[in-house]
Every structure is written in structure tokens, then in C-alpha cells.
Amino acid sequence: MNKVITGKQIRIWATDLRKNRMTGLIVLMVLLILILSLLRPDTFFSSTNLFNILKQASIVSIIAFGQTFIMVSGGIDLSVGYSLGLSGVIMAVMITAGFSPMLAILGGLGISCLIGLANGVIITQFKLPPFIVTLGLAKIARGIMYVLTRGYPIPVRDPFVIGVGNKYLGPLPIMSLIMLALFVISAFVLGKTVFGLRTKAIGGNETAARLSGIKVTRHKIMLYVLTGLLCGIAGIIMAGRVNSGNPNSGVNFDLDSIAAVIVGGTAMSGGEGTVIGTLLGALILQIISNGLVLMNVSIYWQTIVAGVLIISVCALDSFSHSRNQA
């Protein structure tokens, strides 16, 4: 006997979907894939296009994993894009100067960690807003890149670095495998360890966290250094992908990473968020961007669509929280 789906059942399903962010994100991603496969069946499911989505999402996701930790703790990092760019530039400069590739990679990772350390120390010691401090460090990193490169890309010809950004291991790009490994580590740390619990406690109520014995200052500094390290890894991958240390390679990654984190369900006020949500958010944004490109939509309209999506997600979150508190 066929069951009739009533309006009440639909409302119940919609409420459950709204409350379960992970389910909602998965459903949204599946719907986007179905729509784009119908609109562009000849191009969307091509291996080249799918790998392009995965590659672009990989770089954004690696940065966004670090941004998730920062935003869960109640902060924000606007220096991530230029930290990525400076990492690749420093590596390229060192390789050009005759340093071994491994030492150059360590140099690139070191400079991004140093930016993270500077962010954390200045924010905690001078009690300044993360928005202002990280914006200032972003400007400094950008200036250093232009001083070193004079605005021109520095070629990178090392096979290992190029391979990290362009080669495949079996059917998957190496850069995506690196992203997946970092995803597993980040998700475990934030969701299953004392470090992650302390991060959420600081974001939920910093004063209470401090009174409970958490060394808030040290923990915040560690979060920004961790984010710097992830930016450095993304910067090395990006340099390998474009075969150069490009001073413009980090442009917009700060906003893209924040968008992925917000769409993934991390609360702007801190204390709540997941790394898996961030990964889904990054994939959704890249699928939308890719679909708009396939449909020949202007890059300017792509930016507008991304903005509307972010505002809509935030509005949905606000509505859900108000209904849950009522």
C-alpha cells in the first residue's frame, strides 16, 4: 500500500535537515551535482573537470582547516592568503639561491609559521583584535613578497616540488592526498583530543576557560602557529602547481577560507565547528564556482553568488539558533 507524504512530514524533515548541518551540506552538494550534471552533462562529469574541482578545493581546504581552529576559538585570521604566498616565494628564492629543495621547503614552512607566531603573540600580549593584527600581518607579508620578487614570479623547476603540485598517485592528485591526510589529522585533533576541547572551550567562554586552568595565551599562540604551518604547506603545493613563487598566488584565499568555514557551520562567535563541515563547505563553494564557469557566467557574477550564499547560510544559522532557543 502506497503511503501518502503529508505536509506535516515534509515540515518535520525540513526541521531535522536544518538542525543537522552535516546532512544539510551533503544534501546541498548532491543537489548541486545533480543540477550541474543535467545542465552540463558533457563537461561536468569529465575526469579533467572533476580533478580541477578537487585540486582547487584541496588548497582552500588546507588553509580552511587552520582557519577552523582559529574561528572555533573565537578569532579570525586574515593573513592566511599572503602567508601562503610568502611561503612559496621564500622557497623559490632559496632554491634560486642554490639551497637544497628540502631546506628551501623548510624555509617556506618556517616563514609561514613565523607569521602565525607573530599573530598569536601580538594578539595575546597586546590584547588587540585578531581582525586588526592579522590584517596588518597580511600587509607586511604582501610587502615582503613584492620586495623580494618586484612583482614578478620566481620560477620553480625542482621536480619534487612540481610533482607535489601536479602529479598523481594512482587516480588521485598528490595534492589532494595531502589534503585528505591533513583533514583526518585536523578532524581528529579538533573533535577527539584535549587540544580540540580546549579550543572550543576558549571560543565558548574565554574567561571560564581561563578560570578552569586552561593556559589560554599559550593555546591561542599555538593555534596561530598551527594555521601558519597549514598555510605554508598550501603555499608549497601552490608553488609546485604554478611552477613558481608568485606574489599574487595568495590573493582571495583569506576570504575563500573564511567562506568555507562559515558555510561548513562554524559559529562566528566561536565555540562550535567541525573540520568535516569545513571540507564540505569548501567543496560546495568550488562546485558552485566550477558550475558557473561551465555555464559561462561572468566572474563578477560568480563573486556575487558566493556572497549571497554566505549571507544565506549565516541567516539560516541565526534562524535555527533562535528557533532552538525559543
Side-chain angles (χ1 to χ4, degrees):
M1 184 176 179
N2 294 330
K3 293 184 178 181
V4 178
I5 299 176
T6 65
K8 182 178 180 181
Q9 288 176 316
I10 294 176
R11 286 194 297 272
I12 293 173
W13 291 341
T15 301
D16 291 340
L17 192 62
R18 189 180 67 244
K19 290 182 178 180
N20 190 332
R21 169 54 70 90
M22 293 303 104
T23 303
L25 290 172
I26 293 172
V27 169
L28 175 59
M29 187 164 65
V30 170
L31 286 175
L32 288 171
I33 291 172
L34 289 175
I35 292 171
L36 290 173
S37 64
L38 292 174
L39 293 175
R40 287 291 184 270
D42 53 334
T43 54
F44 181 75
F45 272 121
S46 68
S47 59
T48 300
N49 185 60
L50 293 178
F51 281 132
N52 281 337
I53 295 174
L54 186 58
K55 285 180 178 180
Q56 191 61 28
S58 294
I59 296 176
V60 174
S61 296
I62 292 172
I63 302 173
F65 296 156
Q67 191 77 259
T68 303
F69 279 88
I70 297 294
M71 293 181 68
V72 167
S73 72
I76 196 168
D77 192 345
L78 298 180
S79 67
V80 290
Y82 292 109
S83 179
L84 174 155
L86 184 57
S87 175
V89 166
I90 291 294
M91 181 192 68
V93 168
M94 291 181 68
I95 291 176
T96 303
F99 289 91
S100 69
M102 289 299 105
L103 190 58
I105 290 173
L106 290 176
L109 296 176
I111 193 65
S112 59
C113 288
L114 184 61
I115 292 173
L117 178 62
N119 279 327
V121 170
I122 295 172
I123 289 169
T124 56
Q125 298 303 314
F126 293 93
K127 310 300 181 185
L128 295 176
F131 181 92
I132 300 299
V133 175
T134 58
L135 180 61
L137 263 295
K139 295 289 186 180
I140 293 172
R142 184 181 186 184
I144 293 173
M145 281 193 291
Y146 283 113
V147 168
L148 292 174
T149 65
R150 297 186 179 181
Y152 295 98
I154 300 176
V156 174
R157 298 185 177 89
D158 179 70
F160 176 80
V161 176
I162 295 174
V164 168
N166 294 283
K167 289 189 176 180
Y168 290 72
L169 186 62
L172 291 175
I174 292 176
M175 62 188 296
S176 297
L177 293 174
I178 295 173
M179 181 273 289
L180 291 173
L182 293 173
F183 160 72
V184 172
I185 295 171
S186 300
F188 176 78
V189 171
L190 184 59
K192 301 295 183 180
T193 68
V194 174
F195 185 88
L197 182 62
R198 289 174 178 171
T199 301
K200 294 177 181 179
I202 292 170
N205 189 321
E206 183 173 326
T207 301
R210 196 182 300 276
L211 292 174
S212 68
I214 297 175
K215 297 180 179 179
V216 174
T217 296
R218 185 177 70 177
H219 194 89
K220 281 187 173 182
I221 293 173
M222 292 171 64
L223 289 175
Y224 281 98
V225 173
L226 171 63
T227 302
L229 175 61
L230 291 171
C231 290
I233 294 172
I236 302 302
I237 294 173
M238 176 62 82
R241 187 180 183 192
V242 300
N243 298 349
S244 67
N246 193 322
N248 296 314
S249 61
V251 174
N252 292 331
F253 274 105
D254 48 357
L255 299 181
D256 289 345
S257 67
I258 293 171
V261 174
I262 293 174
V263 171
T266 296
M268 287 292 292
S269 57
E272 180 184 348
T274 63
V275 174
I276 187 171
T278 295
L279 177 59
L280 291 172
L283 288 171
I284 287 171
L285 290 173
Q286 291 305 317
I287 289 172
I288 292 173
S289 177
N290 178 263
L292 294 174
V293 170
L294 293 180
M295 291 185 288
N296 297 317
V297 176
S298 166
I299 183 65
Y300 308 115
W301 281 103
Q302 293 179 37
T303 305
I304 293 172
V305 170
V308 170
L309 177 63
I310 294 170
I311 294 173
S312 300
V313 169
C314 291
L316 179 61
D317 266 351
S318 178
F319 176 72
S320 298
H321 289 156
S322 63
R323 288 289 298 271
N324 292 335
Q325 292 174 357

